[in-house]
Amino acid sequence: MLDQVTATRYVTPLREGGSLPGIVEADDFGTYVVKFRGAGQGLKVLVAEVLVGELARALGLNVPRMTVVDLQAPIAKYEADEEVQDLLTASLGLNLGIDFLPGSFGYDGSRPPAPDTAADIVWLDAFTANVDRTWSNPNLLVWHRNPWLIDHGAALYFHHGWPSRGADPQRFAVQPFDATTHVLRDVASSPGAAHERLSPGITSDLLRRVVDAVPDGWLEQAPGLENPEAVRAAYVDHLLARLANPSAWLPKDRS
Ligand SMILES: Nc1ncnc2c1ncn2[C@@H]1O[C@H](COP(=O)(O)OP(=O)(O)OP(=O)(O)O)[C@@H](O)[C@H]1O
Ligand SMILES: [Mg+2]
């Protein structure tokens, strides 16, 4: 599901991004926004990006293509900016690349998506507990007049709780979702209808394919989750449990 490329040049940091993402060129001549494994947020945000981004794509939403970007030592060595050099040195190995969308701009409400598309996005965020799509941080780009979803690193936050609080799918299954601050809340049609449209597509086969796309080295072990396969299975269990409990998290239709 994810190709792998090798970074050939670090171009520039994206100053807006909290995790110091940067623009990187690769040996396939592609230009990518790279989320670095060595950024403070750790590997779990890369896992959330892949799982939620690929689920969104499978549901028919626009998500820039993602790829695994191998970063090798010479790129870090010749970087002049010390802060960037430290980040690159801490990020040797496999990082996440997101196709750079040239000429895109941040969603400002001037080109709202169709009501059903907006509802599908609200549904995706409620299902994956993504709190990061608000007016202060829309994480939605407009490109060729269409909305494109980015930045799913804050979703699936249950994984930050394992191991100390255990991996308990039932807790995530009933975690409520507050849609009142969602950037698309006022343009979205019925979340209930979106659930009817989308939930049948979230099969265990799809979840399996999506967790298989995550490189083994990003799947941190925890007590009870002692190898990458166990971690993958835990993600599938959590998402299936939540899918079966929409009454706990599905936003209400606006009256
Ligand atoms: N694929 C892309 N194409 C073009 N620009 C992008 C792309 N991905 C991100 N950007 C730009 O970079 C900014 C930061 O990206 P992103 O939100 O993914 O990073 P982040 O570090 O998780 O940010 P934050 O935590 O501040 O939300 C975006 O707001 C957007 O302006
Ligand atoms: Mg962001």
Side-chain angles (χ1 to χ4, degrees), residues 14 16-21 33 35 41 49 64 98-102 104 132 137 139 141 150-151:
L14 272 170
E16 321 95 283
S19 64
L20 293 179
V33 171
K35 301 288 181 90
Q41 286 86 340
E49 290 266 15
I98 298 139
D99 238 354
F100 178 69
L101 305 182
S104 60
D132 231 358
N137 201 359
N139 288 320
L141 298 177
I150 59 163
D151 192 2

Side-chain angles (χ1 to χ4, degrees), residues 44-45 48 52 125-132 152-162 165-166 171-172 174-178 235 238-239 242 249:
K44 290 198 171 97
V45 300
V52 178
D125 290 333
F127 173 52
T128 61
N130 179 24
V131 294
D132 231 358
H152 301 109
L156 309 180
Y157 51 79
F158 63 82
H159 58 184
H160 297 287
W162 71 37
R165 273 172 279 142
R171 186 175 12 218
F172 179 58
V174 298
Q175 192 90 54
F177 180 78
D178 175 12
Y235 281 111
H238 277 70
L239 288 163
R242 189 160 173 89
W249 52 266

Side-chain angles (χ1 to χ4, degrees), residues 108-190:
D108 61 3
S110 60
R111 284 190 183 277
D116 284 357
T117 304
D120 288 353
I121 296 169
V122 171
W123 184 85
L124 171 82
D125 290 333
F127 173 52
T128 61
N130 179 24
V131 294
D132 231 358
R133 207 153 358 241
T134 61
W135 278 109
S136 59
N137 201 359
N139 288 320
L140 201 56
L141 298 177
V142 179
W143 192 53
H144 294 279
R145 302 184 179 187
N146 290 311
W148 287 73
L149 306 183
I150 59 163
D151 192 2
H152 301 109
L156 309 180
Y157 51 79
F158 63 82
H159 58 184
H160 297 287
W162 71 37
S164 54
R165 273 172 279 142
D168 178 1
Q170 285 316 316
R171 186 175 12 218
F172 179 58
V174 298
Q175 192 90 54
F177 180 78
D178 175 12
T180 55
T181 57
H182 196 283
V183 66
L184 297 178
R185 171 163 168 103
D186 292 338
V187 292
S189 56
S190 155

Side-chain angles (χ1 to χ4, degrees), residues 63-140:
V63 182
R65 188 175 68 94
M66 291 188 277
T67 185
V68 173
V69 178
D70 185 17
L71 183 72
Q72 297 174 358
I75 306 274
K77 199 163 138 200
Y78 296 113
E79 171 57 42
D81 182 313
E82 230 174 275
E83 190 189 4
V84 173
Q85 193 184 68
D86 288 348
L87 176 64
L88 298 183
T89 304
S91 301
L92 298 181
L94 304 187
N95 297 274
L96 176 66
I98 298 139
D99 238 354
F100 178 69
L101 305 182
S104 60
F105 60 90
Y107 181 74
D108 61 3
S110 60
R111 284 190 183 277
D116 284 357
T117 304
D120 288 353
I121 296 169
V122 171
W123 184 85
L124 171 82
D125 290 333
F127 173 52
T128 61
N130 179 24
V131 294
D132 231 358
R133 207 153 358 241
T134 61
W135 278 109
S136 59
N137 201 359
N139 288 320
L140 201 56

